[in-house]
Amino acid sequence: MDSAKIETGCQLFKRIEKRPNLGYMKFLGDQPNPRDFIQITGEAGSGKTLLITDLIAQCILPKSLNYNGSCAIFINTDHHFSVLKLYALMKECLKDTDVDINEVIEESLSRLIIMNCYSNEQLKITIMNLEKILNENVLINFVAVDSLSAYFWCDQEDVKHFNTASYYVRGLTMSLRNVYGNRNVMTAFTDNLENPLNAGVEYTMFLKKGDAGKHEMTIHNSKIGTDFIRHYNIGNCVEFVD
Amino acid sequence: MSRLTTKTHPLLTKTILLNLSHKDVHIIHQFLQKDSKQLVTITKLTYKNIITIKKHILNKNAAYSYNALENYKDVLSKTATISSGIESFDSLLAGGFLTGKIYEICGAPTSGKTKLCTSILSNYLKKYCSNCFYLDTKNEIQSHLKFFPQRDSLKKLLIKQLWTIHDLINALYEIKSNLKQLKVRLIVLNSLPCLFYQIERNRANTLLTHAVNIMRFISKEYHITFIVTNLMTTWDNDLRLGCGQYWKTVPNTRINISQANDEYSLTILKSCDLREGNETLIKL
């Protein structure tokens, strides 16, 4: 892309600082760095879409209620995400507060941009177009994609040699990094890969369906090389049971 | 894949397109990825013009950005629930089939998938004034038509017979381009495996992805419900779903049907909105 422009160190610092950092994320048990990538992977029905919906809620709910109050972009390729579900999930998060729930949720929803993609080409062009949207809104610091592997089989038609799904997903994460440049934007994406990506992501959340609705989440932090396991239920939101 | 044509942008003349083609730039994505300075050399256009063309292509082809609040209000006002006509099934679905979603009914051979679809269609025709589409890959709808109680309502049932996965893609494109005239709220595809297992697996997955992309577009943008039937087979006492790994992730809700004496058991196997494992018994 042709975004290279000359700016002074002060200008660069000012531009980067404008985009607020995301705070503590309960699912990671950690405060991610501004440009980290979170991969959410696991079998069908393990709760990937619900988890990414929950991450979006944590991001857009207001700062005054100990959330992030940021702006976010959601790229919808699998079309399992439902804005009605997001509304219900935020309602669940706010049930113990004494605020006007509908007003807070509507205000939070206005900070989210949804983009529906219907083809591999449209997804790739949408990723390229993110640069323009990020420049227009300096408060966007979170991009969520559900899922990055949705058009893998379409891509096989366009390439000369058969690639693996991991290779395809890694290519898209690299395109996202190129588009962000120096901007403080964190990314969470889901995929349907059988094995988690070994490189290019800072956190991997591997979801595994368990018996009697008790599922297992392995969170791998590749920066320090640690794994920790948590168990969860799928209800109106992702509820940890340990 | 959209090819670069003279319609892409007025500045792209036939000569320029030929020069681009010689340098292996045929589609819009390749044009966007190519370095602008190299494009200046190839096309002999100015740098400013190249940037203008790129911006134009990006604006025209990138996904439309919705504000989530507007999207929420839009979804709330346009989403409808389609009753299956069977009370306990509607309770299992928390009211009925939601528009904008893809439902899968899966089960072993002769478990009652077609019978359930026919029942849903028959009840739909009785209750709703909009049309419904039946995509028939088994060529057996004729034998079920006699069970439809109201012959007049059959004019609301649009039927297309499909023989290959290419027919499915063509039919979906046809439906997509005529949706306003068709006034359809429900599309039933019975059954998908007949088309999927005709061709080599990788090619079938690619074609299925194309079909699913159009199905998602139709269901999401026009608030239409899709019901697709799929086969479940037993391998070494292990139940396996038909149509490969890719299809596993496609439906919003997967419902398993099995026959027990004169009743049918329906179980939610996968759903973003409903609790998995919930089940009910119905009579057809």
Coordinates of all heavy atoms in Angstrom, one line a residue, chain A residues 2 45 76-85 87 106 109-110 112-118 121-122 124-126 128-129 132-133 150-151 153-154 157-158 162 192 209 234-235, chain B residues 1-2 28-29 32-33 36 47 51 54 58-59 61-69 71-72 76 202-203 205-206 209-210 213 216-217 220-221 246 249-252 272 275-276:
Chain A
D2 N 0.3 2.4 -0.3 CA 1.1 3.6 -0.5 C 0.8 4.6 0.6 O 0.3 5.7 0.4 CB 0.7 4.2 -1.9 CG 0.8 3.2 -3.0 OD1 1.9 3.0 -3.5 OD2 -0.2 2.5 -3.3
G45 N -18.5 -25.7 17.4 CA -19.3 -25.8 18.6 C -18.6 -25.6 19.9 O -19.2 -25.8 20.9
N76 N -16.9 -9.8 9.6 CA -17.7 -11.0 9.7 C -17.6 -11.9 8.4 O -18.1 -11.4 7.4 CB -19.1 -10.6 9.9 CG -20.1 -11.7 10.4 OD1 -19.6 -12.8 10.7 ND2 -21.3 -11.3 10.5
T77 N -17.0 -13.0 8.5 CA -16.8 -13.8 7.3 C -17.6 -15.1 7.4 O -18.1 -15.7 6.5 CB -15.4 -14.2 7.0 OG1 -14.9 -14.9 8.1 CG2 -14.5 -13.0 6.8
D78 N -17.7 -15.7 8.7 CA -18.4 -16.9 8.9 C -19.9 -16.7 9.1 O -20.7 -17.7 9.0 CB -17.8 -17.6 10.1 CG -16.9 -18.8 9.7 OD1 -16.9 -19.2 8.5 OD2 -16.3 -19.4 10.6
H79 N -20.3 -15.5 9.5 CA -21.7 -15.1 9.7 C -22.4 -16.0 10.8 O -23.5 -16.3 10.7 CB -22.5 -15.2 8.4 CG -21.9 -14.2 7.4 ND1 -22.1 -12.9 7.4 CD2 -20.9 -14.4 6.4 CE1 -21.4 -12.3 6.5 NE2 -20.7 -13.2 5.9
H80 N -21.6 -16.3 11.8 CA -22.2 -16.9 13.0 C -22.4 -15.9 14.1 O -23.2 -16.1 15.0 CB -21.2 -18.0 13.6 CG -21.1 -19.2 12.7 ND1 -22.1 -19.8 12.1 CD2 -20.0 -19.9 12.3 CE1 -21.7 -20.8 11.4 NE2 -20.4 -20.9 11.5
F81 N -21.7 -14.7 13.9 CA -21.9 -13.6 14.9 C -23.3 -13.0 14.8 O -23.8 -12.9 13.7 CB -20.8 -12.6 14.6 CG -21.0 -11.3 15.3 CD1 -20.5 -11.1 16.6 CD2 -21.7 -10.2 14.7 CE1 -20.6 -9.9 17.3 CE2 -21.8 -9.0 15.4 CZ -21.3 -8.9 16.7
S82 N -23.9 -12.7 15.9 CA -25.2 -12.0 15.9 C -25.1 -10.8 16.8 O -24.7 -10.9 17.9 CB -26.2 -13.0 16.4 OG -27.4 -12.3 16.8
V83 N -25.5 -9.7 16.2 CA -25.5 -8.4 17.0 C -26.5 -8.5 18.2 O -26.3 -7.9 19.2 CB -25.7 -7.2 16.1 CG1 -27.1 -7.1 15.6 CG2 -25.3 -5.9 16.7
L84 N -27.5 -9.4 18.0 CA -28.5 -9.6 19.0 C -27.9 -10.3 20.2 O -28.1 -10.0 21.4 CB -29.7 -10.4 18.5 CG -30.5 -9.8 17.3 CD1 -31.6 -10.7 16.9 CD2 -31.0 -8.4 17.7
K85 N -27.0 -11.3 19.9 CA -26.3 -12.0 20.9 C -25.3 -11.1 21.7 O -25.2 -11.2 22.9 CB -25.5 -13.1 20.2 CG -24.8 -14.1 21.1 CD -25.7 -15.1 21.6 CE -25.0 -16.0 22.6 NZ -25.9 -17.0 23.3
Y87 N -25.7 -7.9 22.1 CA -26.6 -7.1 23.0 C -26.9 -7.9 24.3 O -26.8 -7.4 25.4 CB -27.9 -6.8 22.2 CG -28.7 -5.6 22.8 CD1 -28.6 -4.3 22.4 CD2 -29.5 -5.9 23.9 CE1 -29.3 -3.3 23.0 CE2 -30.2 -4.9 24.5 CZ -30.1 -3.6 24.0 OH -30.8 -2.6 24.6
E106 N -26.4 0.8 24.0 CA -26.5 1.6 22.7 C -25.3 2.4 22.5 O -24.8 2.5 21.3 CB -27.8 2.4 22.7 CG -29.0 1.4 22.6 CD -30.3 2.1 22.1 OE1 -30.3 3.4 21.9 OE2 -31.3 1.4 22.0
L109 N -22.5 0.1 21.5 CA -22.6 -0.4 20.1 C -22.2 0.6 19.1 O -21.7 0.3 18.0 CB -24.1 -0.9 19.9 CG -24.5 -2.2 20.4 CD1 -26.0 -2.5 20.1 CD2 -23.7 -3.4 19.8
S110 N -22.5 1.9 19.4 CA -22.1 2.9 18.4 C -20.6 3.1 18.2 O -20.1 3.7 17.3 CB -22.7 4.3 18.8 OG -22.1 4.7 20.0
L112 N -18.8 0.4 17.7 CA -18.3 -0.8 16.9 C -18.7 -0.7 15.4 O -19.9 -0.3 15.1 CB -19.0 -2.0 17.5 CG -18.8 -3.4 16.8 CD1 -17.3 -3.8 16.9 CD2 -19.7 -4.5 17.4
I113 N -17.8 -1.0 14.6 CA -18.1 -1.0 13.1 C -18.1 -2.5 12.7 O -17.2 -3.3 13.0 CB -17.0 -0.3 12.3 CG1 -17.0 1.2 12.7 CG2 -17.1 -0.5 10.8 CD1 -15.7 1.9 12.2
I114 N -19.2 -2.9 12.0 CA -19.3 -4.3 11.5 C -19.2 -4.3 10.0 O -19.7 -3.5 9.3 CB -20.7 -4.9 11.9 CG1 -20.8 -4.9 13.4 CG2 -20.9 -6.2 11.3 CD1 -22.2 -5.4 13.9
M115 N -18.3 -5.2 9.5 CA -18.1 -5.3 8.0 C -18.4 -6.8 7.6 O -17.7 -7.7 8.1 CB -16.7 -5.0 7.7 CG -16.3 -3.6 8.1 SD -14.6 -3.2 8.0 CE -14.6 -2.3 6.5
N116 N -19.4 -7.0 6.8 CA -19.8 -8.3 6.4 C -19.1 -8.7 5.0 O -19.3 -8.0 4.0 CB -21.3 -8.4 6.1 CG -22.1 -8.4 7.5 OD1 -21.6 -8.9 8.5 ND2 -23.2 -7.8 7.5
C117 N -18.3 -9.7 5.0 CA -17.6 -10.1 3.8 C -18.3 -11.4 3.2 O -18.7 -12.2 4.0 CB -16.1 -10.4 4.1 SG -15.2 -9.0 4.4
Y118 N -18.3 -11.5 1.9 CA -18.9 -12.7 1.3 C -18.0 -13.4 0.3 O -18.5 -14.2 -0.4 CB -20.2 -12.3 0.6 CG -21.2 -11.7 1.6 CD1 -21.5 -10.4 1.8 CD2 -22.0 -12.6 2.4 CE1 -22.4 -9.9 2.7 CE2 -22.9 -12.2 3.3 CZ -23.1 -10.8 3.5 OH -24.0 -10.3 4.4
E121 N -11.9 -12.5 -2.1 CA -11.4 -11.3 -2.6 C -11.9 -10.1 -1.8 O -11.1 -9.2 -1.5 CB -11.9 -11.1 -4.1 CG -11.3 -9.9 -4.8 CD -11.9 -9.8 -6.2 OE1 -13.1 -9.6 -6.4 OE2 -11.1 -10.0 -7.1
Q122 N -13.1 -10.1 -1.4 CA -13.7 -9.0 -0.6 C -13.0 -8.9 0.7 O -12.7 -7.8 1.2 CB -15.2 -9.2 -0.4 CG -15.9 -7.9 0.0 CD -17.4 -8.1 0.2 OE1 -17.9 -9.2 0.5 NE2 -18.1 -7.0 0.1
K124 N -9.8 -9.8 1.4 CA -8.5 -9.3 1.2 C -8.6 -7.8 1.0 O -7.7 -7.0 1.5 CB -7.8 -10.0 0.0 CG -7.4 -11.4 0.4 CD -6.7 -12.1 -0.7 CE -6.2 -13.4 -0.3 NZ -5.6 -14.2 -1.4
I125 N -9.5 -7.3 0.2 CA -9.7 -5.9 -0.1 C -10.1 -5.1 1.1 O -9.6 -4.0 1.4 CB -10.6 -5.7 -1.3 CG1 -9.9 -6.2 -2.6 CG2 -10.9 -4.2 -1.5 CD1 -10.8 -6.2 -3.8
T126 N -11.0 -5.7 1.9 CA -11.4 -5.1 3.2 C -10.2 -4.9 4.1 O -10.1 -3.9 4.8 CB -12.5 -6.0 3.8 OG1 -13.6 -6.1 2.9 CG2 -13.1 -5.4 5.1
M128 N -7.2 -4.5 3.2 CA -6.4 -3.3 2.6 C -7.1 -2.0 3.0 O -6.4 -1.0 3.3 CB -6.3 -3.4 1.1 CG -5.4 -4.5 0.6 SD -5.5 -4.6 -1.1 CE -4.2 -5.7 -1.5
N129 N -8.4 -2.0 3.0 CA -9.1 -0.8 3.2 C -9.2 -0.3 4.7 O -9.5 0.8 5.0 CB -10.6 -1.0 2.7 CG -11.3 0.3 2.5 OD1 -10.7 1.3 2.0 ND2 -12.6 0.4 2.8
K132 N -7.5 3.0 5.8 CA -8.3 4.2 5.7 C -9.2 4.4 6.9 O -9.2 5.5 7.4 CB -9.1 4.2 4.4 CG -9.9 5.4 4.0 CD -10.8 5.1 2.9 CE -12.2 5.7 3.1 NZ -13.2 5.1 2.3
I133 N -9.8 3.4 7.3 CA -10.8 3.4 8.4 C -10.0 3.8 9.7 O -10.4 4.6 10.5 CB -11.6 2.1 8.6 CG1 -12.4 1.9 7.3 CG2 -12.5 2.2 9.8 CD1 -13.1 0.6 7.2
A150 N -12.2 -18.8 6.7 CA -13.5 -19.0 6.0 C -13.4 -19.2 4.5 O -14.1 -20.0 4.0 CB -14.5 -17.8 6.3
Y151 N -12.5 -18.5 3.9 CA -12.4 -18.6 2.4 C -11.1 -19.4 1.9 O -10.7 -19.2 0.8 CB -12.4 -17.2 1.8 CG -13.6 -16.4 2.3 CD1 -13.4 -15.2 2.9 CD2 -14.9 -16.9 2.1 CE1 -14.5 -14.5 3.4 CE2 -16.0 -16.2 2.6 CZ -15.8 -15.0 3.2 OH -16.9 -14.3 3.6
W153 N -10.7 -22.4 1.0 CA -10.9 -23.2 -0.2 C -11.1 -22.4 -1.4 O -10.7 -22.9 -2.5 CB -12.1 -24.2 0.0 CG -11.7 -25.3 0.9 CD1 -12.1 -25.4 2.3 CD2 -10.9 -26.4 0.7 NE1 -11.5 -26.5 2.8 CE2 -10.8 -27.2 1.8 CE3 -10.2 -26.8 -0.5 CZ2 -10.0 -28.3 1.9 CZ3 -9.4 -28.0 -0.4 CH2 -9.3 -28.7 0.8
C154 N -11.6 -21.2 -1.3 CA -11.7 -20.3 -2.5 C -10.3 -19.9 -2.9 O -10.1 -19.8 -4.1 CB -12.5 -19.0 -2.1 SG -14.2 -19.2 -1.9
E157 N -8.3 -21.9 -5.4 CA -8.6 -21.8 -6.9 C -7.6 -20.8 -7.5 O -7.3 -20.9 -8.7 CB -10.0 -21.3 -7.0 CG -10.8 -21.8 -8.1 CD -12.2 -21.3 -8.1 OE1 -12.5 -20.3 -7.5 OE2 -13.0 -21.9 -8.8
D158 N -7.2 -19.8 -6.7 CA -6.4 -18.6 -7.2 C -4.9 -18.9 -7.2 O -4.2 -18.2 -7.8 CB -6.8 -17.4 -6.4 CG -8.3 -17.1 -6.4 OD1 -9.0 -17.6 -7.2 OD2 -8.7 -16.4 -5.5
F162 N -1.0 -26.0 -4.2 CA -1.9 -26.2 -3.0 C -1.1 -25.7 -1.8 O 0.0 -26.1 -1.5 CB -2.2 -27.7 -2.9 CG -3.2 -28.0 -1.8 CD1 -4.6 -27.8 -2.0 CD2 -2.8 -28.3 -0.5 CE1 -5.5 -28.0 -1.0 CE2 -3.7 -28.5 0.5 CZ -5.1 -28.4 0.2
N192 N -10.4 -22.3 11.9 CA -10.8 -23.7 12.0 C -9.6 -24.6 11.8 O -9.8 -25.7 11.2 CB -12.0 -24.0 11.1 CG -13.2 -23.2 11.3 OD1 -13.7 -23.1 12.4 ND2 -13.6 -22.4 10.3
K209 N -14.0 -29.1 23.2 CA -15.3 -29.5 23.8 C -15.2 -30.6 24.8 O -14.4 -31.5 24.6 CB -16.2 -30.0 22.7 CG -17.0 -28.9 22.0 CD -17.7 -29.4 20.8 CE -19.2 -29.5 21.1 NZ -20.0 -29.8 19.9
I234 N -20.6 -22.7 28.3 CA -21.2 -21.8 27.3 C -22.6 -21.5 27.7 O -23.4 -22.4 27.7 CB -21.1 -22.4 25.9 CG1 -19.6 -22.6 25.5 CG2 -21.8 -21.5 24.9 CD1 -19.5 -23.3 24.2
G235 N -22.8 -20.3 28.1 CA -24.2 -19.8 28.4 C -24.5 -18.6 27.6 O -24.2 -18.5 26.4
Chain B
M1 N -13.3 -13.5 -7.8 CA -12.2 -12.9 -8.5 C -12.7 -12.0 -9.6 O -13.4 -12.4 -10.5 CB -11.4 -14.0 -9.2 CG -10.0 -14.0 -8.8 SD -8.9 -15.2 -9.5 CE -9.8 -16.0 -10.8
S2 N -12.5 -10.6 -9.4 CA -13.0 -9.7 -10.4 C -11.8 -9.3 -11.3 O -10.8 -8.8 -10.9 CB -13.5 -8.4 -9.7 OG -14.4 -8.8 -8.7
I28 N -8.4 -7.3 -9.9 CA -8.3 -6.1 -9.1 C -7.4 -6.3 -7.9 O -6.6 -5.3 -7.5 CB -9.6 -5.5 -8.7 CG1 -10.5 -6.5 -7.9 CG2 -10.4 -5.0 -9.9 CD1 -11.7 -5.9 -7.3
H29 N -7.4 -7.5 -7.3 CA -6.5 -7.7 -6.1 C -5.0 -7.6 -6.5 O -4.2 -7.0 -5.7 CB -6.8 -9.0 -5.5 CG -6.1 -9.3 -4.2 ND1 -5.3 -10.3 -4.0 CD2 -6.0 -8.5 -3.1 CE1 -4.7 -10.3 -2.8 NE2 -5.2 -9.2 -2.2
L32 N -4.2 -3.9 -6.8 CA -4.0 -3.2 -5.5 C -2.7 -3.6 -4.9 O -2.1 -2.8 -4.2 CB -5.2 -3.6 -4.6 CG -6.6 -3.1 -5.0 CD1 -7.6 -3.7 -4.1 CD2 -6.6 -1.5 -4.9
Q33 N -2.3 -4.9 -5.1 CA -1.0 -5.3 -4.4 C 0.2 -4.8 -5.1 O 1.3 -4.7 -4.4 CB -1.0 -6.8 -4.4 CG -1.8 -7.4 -3.2 CD -1.4 -8.9 -3.0 OE1 -1.3 -9.6 -4.0 NE2 -1.3 -9.3 -1.8
S36 N 2.8 0.9 -6.6 CA 2.3 2.0 -7.5 C 3.3 2.6 -8.5 O 3.0 2.9 -9.6 CB 1.8 3.2 -6.6 OG 0.7 2.7 -5.8
Y47 N 1.4 9.0 -11.1 CA 1.3 8.4 -9.8 C 0.0 8.8 -9.2 O -0.7 7.9 -8.5 CB 2.5 8.9 -9.0 CG 2.6 8.2 -7.6 CD1 3.3 7.0 -7.6 CD2 2.1 8.8 -6.5 CE1 3.4 6.3 -6.3 CE2 2.2 8.1 -5.2 CZ 2.9 6.9 -5.2 OH 3.0 6.3 -4.0
I51 N -3.1 6.2 -7.8 CA -3.6 6.3 -6.4 C -5.1 6.5 -6.5 O -5.9 5.8 -5.7 CB -3.0 7.4 -5.6 CG1 -1.5 7.2 -5.5 CG2 -3.6 7.6 -4.2 CD1 -1.1 5.9 -4.7
K54 N -6.7 3.2 -7.4 CA -6.6 2.2 -6.3 C -7.7 2.6 -5.2 O -8.4 1.7 -4.7 CB -5.2 2.2 -5.6 CG -4.2 1.4 -6.4 CD -3.0 1.3 -5.6 CE -2.0 0.3 -6.2 NZ -0.8 0.0 -5.4
L58 N -10.8 0.2 -4.0 CA -11.0 -0.1 -2.6 C -12.4 0.3 -2.1 O -13.1 -0.5 -1.5 CB -9.9 0.6 -1.7 CG -8.5 0.0 -1.7 CD1 -7.6 0.9 -0.9 CD2 -8.6 -1.3 -0.9
N59 N -12.8 1.5 -2.4 CA -14.1 1.9 -2.0 C -15.2 1.1 -2.5 O -16.2 0.8 -1.9 CB -14.4 3.4 -2.4 CG -13.6 4.3 -1.5 OD1 -13.3 4.0 -0.4 ND2 -13.3 5.5 -2.0
N61 N -15.1 -2.1 -3.7 CA -15.0 -3.6 -3.5 C -14.9 -4.0 -2.0 O -15.1 -5.2 -1.7 CB -13.9 -4.2 -4.3 CG -14.2 -4.1 -5.8 OD1 -15.0 -4.8 -6.4 ND2 -13.6 -3.1 -6.4
A62 N -14.5 -3.1 -1.2 CA -14.3 -3.5 0.3 C -15.7 -3.7 0.9 O -16.7 -3.1 0.3 CB -13.6 -2.4 1.0
A63 N -15.8 -4.4 2.0 CA -17.1 -4.7 2.6 C -17.6 -3.3 3.1 O -16.9 -2.5 3.6 CB -16.9 -5.7 3.7
Y64 N -18.9 -3.2 3.1 CA -19.6 -2.0 3.6 C -19.5 -1.9 5.1 O -19.6 -2.9 5.8 CB -21.0 -2.0 3.1 CG -21.8 -0.7 3.6 CD1 -21.6 0.5 2.9 CD2 -22.6 -0.7 4.7 CE1 -22.3 1.6 3.3 CE2 -23.3 0.4 5.1 CZ -23.1 1.6 4.4 OH -23.8 2.7 4.8
S65 N -19.2 -0.7 5.7 CA -19.0 -0.6 7.1 C -20.4 -0.2 7.7 O -20.9 0.9 7.4 CB -18.0 0.4 7.5 OG -16.9 0.3 6.7
Y66 N -20.9 -1.0 8.6 CA -22.1 -0.6 9.3 C -21.7 -0.2 10.7 O -20.9 -0.9 11.4 CB -23.0 -1.9 9.5 CG -23.6 -2.5 8.2 CD1 -22.9 -3.5 7.6 CD2 -24.8 -2.0 7.7 CE1 -23.4 -4.1 6.4 CE2 -25.3 -2.6 6.6 CZ -24.6 -3.6 5.9 OH -25.1 -4.2 4.8
N67 N -22.4 0.8 11.2 CA -22.3 1.1 12.7 C -23.2 0.0 13.4 O -24.3 -0.3 13.0 CB -22.9 2.5 12.9 CG -22.8 2.8 14.4 OD1 -23.7 2.4 15.2 ND2 -21.7 3.5 14.8
A68 N -22.6 -0.6 14.5 CA -23.3 -1.8 15.1 C -24.6 -1.4 15.7 O -25.6 -2.2 15.7 CB -22.4 -2.3 16.2
L69 N -24.8 -0.1 16.1 CA -26.1 0.3 16.6 C -27.1 0.3 15.5 O -28.3 -0.2 15.7 CB -26.0 1.7 17.3 CG -27.2 2.2 18.0 CD1 -27.7 1.3 19.0 CD2 -27.0 3.6 18.6
N71 N -26.9 -1.4 12.8 CA -27.1 -2.8 12.4 C -28.1 -3.5 13.4 O -28.9 -4.3 12.9 CB -25.7 -3.4 12.4 CG -25.8 -4.9 11.9 OD1 -25.5 -5.8 12.6 ND2 -26.1 -5.0 10.6
Y72 N -27.9 -3.2 14.6 CA -28.8 -3.8 15.7 C -30.2 -3.4 15.4 O -31.1 -4.3 15.4 CB -28.3 -3.3 17.1 CG -29.3 -3.7 18.2 CD1 -29.4 -5.0 18.6 CD2 -30.1 -2.8 18.7 CE1 -30.3 -5.4 19.6 CE2 -31.0 -3.1 19.7 CZ -31.1 -4.4 20.2 OH -32.0 -4.8 21.1
L76 N -33.1 -6.0 14.3 CA -34.3 -6.1 15.1 C -35.6 -5.9 14.4 O -36.6 -6.6 14.6 CB -34.2 -5.1 16.3 CG -34.8 -5.4 17.6 CD1 -34.2 -6.7 18.2 CD2 -34.6 -4.2 18.6
N202 N -11.2 -31.9 -2.9 CA -10.7 -30.5 -2.9 C -11.5 -29.6 -3.8 O -11.9 -28.5 -3.4 CB -9.2 -30.5 -3.3 CG -8.3 -31.0 -2.2 OD1 -8.8 -31.3 -1.1 ND2 -7.0 -31.2 -2.6
R203 N -11.8 -30.1 -5.0 CA -12.6 -29.3 -5.9 C -14.0 -29.1 -5.3 O -14.6 -28.0 -5.4 CB -12.7 -30.0 -7.3 CG -13.4 -29.3 -8.4 CD -12.6 -28.2 -9.0 NE -13.4 -27.4 -9.9 CZ -13.4 -26.1 -9.8 NH1 -12.6 -25.4 -9.0 NH2 -14.1 -25.4 -10.7
N205 N -14.9 -29.0 -2.2 CA -14.8 -28.0 -1.1 C -14.8 -26.6 -1.7 O -15.4 -25.7 -1.1 CB -13.5 -28.2 -0.3 CG -13.8 -29.2 0.9 OD1 -14.9 -29.3 1.4 ND2 -12.8 -30.0 1.2
T206 N -14.0 -26.4 -2.8 CA -13.9 -25.0 -3.4 C -15.3 -24.6 -3.9 O -15.7 -23.5 -3.6 CB -12.9 -25.1 -4.5 OG1 -11.6 -25.5 -4.0 CG2 -12.7 -23.7 -5.1
T209 N -17.7 -23.8 -1.1 CA -17.4 -22.5 -0.5 C -18.1 -21.4 -1.3 O -18.7 -20.5 -0.7 CB -15.9 -22.3 -0.4 OG1 -15.2 -23.4 0.1 CG2 -15.6 -21.1 0.5
H210 N -18.0 -21.5 -2.6 CA -18.7 -20.6 -3.5 C -20.2 -20.6 -3.2 O -20.8 -19.5 -3.1 CB -18.4 -20.8 -5.0 CG -17.0 -20.4 -5.4 ND1 -16.6 -19.1 -5.3 CD2 -16.0 -21.1 -5.9 CE1 -15.3 -19.1 -5.7 NE2 -15.0 -20.3 -6.1
N213 N -21.0 -19.0 0.1 CA -20.8 -17.6 0.1 C -22.1 -16.9 -0.4 O -22.6 -15.9 0.2 CB -19.7 -17.1 -0.8 CG -18.3 -17.5 -0.2 OD1 -18.2 -17.8 1.0 ND2 -17.3 -17.4 -1.0
R216 N -24.9 -17.4 2.2 CA -24.8 -16.4 3.3 C -25.2 -15.0 2.9 O -25.9 -14.3 3.7 CB -23.3 -16.4 3.8 CG -23.0 -17.6 4.7 CD -21.6 -17.6 5.0 NE -21.3 -18.6 6.0 CZ -20.1 -19.2 6.2 NH1 -19.1 -18.8 5.4 NH2 -19.9 -20.1 7.1
F217 N -24.9 -14.7 1.7 CA -25.3 -13.3 1.2 C -26.8 -13.2 1.2 O -27.4 -12.2 1.6 CB -24.6 -13.1 -0.2 CG -25.0 -11.7 -0.7 CD1 -24.3 -10.6 -0.4 CD2 -26.1 -11.6 -1.6 CE1 -24.6 -9.3 -0.9 CE2 -26.4 -10.3 -2.1 CZ -25.7 -9.2 -1.7
K220 N -28.3 -13.4 4.8 CA -28.0 -12.2 5.7 C -28.6 -10.9 5.1 O -29.2 -10.2 5.9 CB -26.5 -12.2 5.8 CG -25.9 -11.3 6.9 CD -25.7 -12.2 8.1 CE -25.2 -11.3 9.2 NZ -25.2 -12.0 10.5
E221 N -28.3 -10.7 3.9 CA -28.7 -9.3 3.3 C -30.2 -9.2 3.0 O -30.8 -8.2 3.0 CB -27.9 -9.1 2.0 CG -26.4 -9.0 2.2 CD -25.9 -7.8 3.1 OE1 -26.5 -6.7 3.0 OE2 -25.0 -8.0 3.9
Y246 N -15.1 -28.7 5.9 CA -15.5 -27.3 5.7 C -16.9 -27.1 6.0 O -17.3 -26.2 6.8 CB -15.2 -26.9 4.2 CG -15.9 -25.6 3.9 CD1 -15.4 -24.4 4.5 CD2 -17.0 -25.5 3.1 CE1 -16.0 -23.2 4.2 CE2 -17.6 -24.3 2.8 CZ -17.1 -23.1 3.4 OH -17.7 -21.9 3.2
T249 N -18.5 -26.3 9.7 CA -18.5 -25.0 10.4 C -19.6 -24.1 9.8 O -19.7 -23.0 10.3 CB -17.1 -24.4 10.2 OG1 -16.9 -24.2 8.8 CG2 -16.0 -25.2 10.8
V250 N -20.2 -24.5 8.7 CA -21.1 -23.6 8.0 C -22.4 -23.3 8.7 O -22.8 -22.1 8.9 CB -21.3 -24.0 6.5 CG1 -22.3 -23.1 5.8 CG2 -20.0 -24.0 5.8
P251 N -23.3 -24.3 9.0 CA -24.6 -23.9 9.5 C -24.6 -23.2 10.8 O -23.7 -23.4 11.7 CB -25.3 -25.3 9.7 CG -24.4 -26.3 9.0 CD -23.0 -25.7 9.0
N252 N -25.5 -22.3 11.0 CA -25.6 -21.6 12.3 C -26.2 -22.5 13.4 O -25.8 -22.4 14.5 CB -26.6 -20.4 12.2 CG -26.0 -19.3 11.2 OD1 -26.4 -19.3 10.0 ND2 -25.1 -18.5 11.6
C272 N -25.2 -21.3 17.7 CA -24.7 -20.1 18.3 C -25.7 -19.5 19.3 O -25.3 -18.7 20.2 CB -24.3 -19.0 17.3 SG -23.1 -19.6 16.1
R275 N -29.1 -23.8 23.2 CA -28.3 -24.7 24.0 C -28.1 -26.1 23.4 O -29.1 -26.7 23.0 CB -28.9 -24.8 25.4 CG -27.9 -25.3 26.5 CD -28.5 -25.2 27.8 NE -28.4 -23.8 28.3 CZ -27.3 -23.4 29.0 NH1 -26.3 -24.2 29.3 NH2 -27.2 -22.1 29.4
E276 N -26.8 -26.5 23.2 CA -26.6 -27.8 22.6 C -27.0 -28.9 23.5 O -26.9 -28.8 24.7 CB -25.1 -27.9 22.3 CG -24.6 -27.1 21.2 CD -23.1 -27.1 21.0 OE1 -22.5 -28.0 21.4 OE2 -22.6 -26.1 20.4

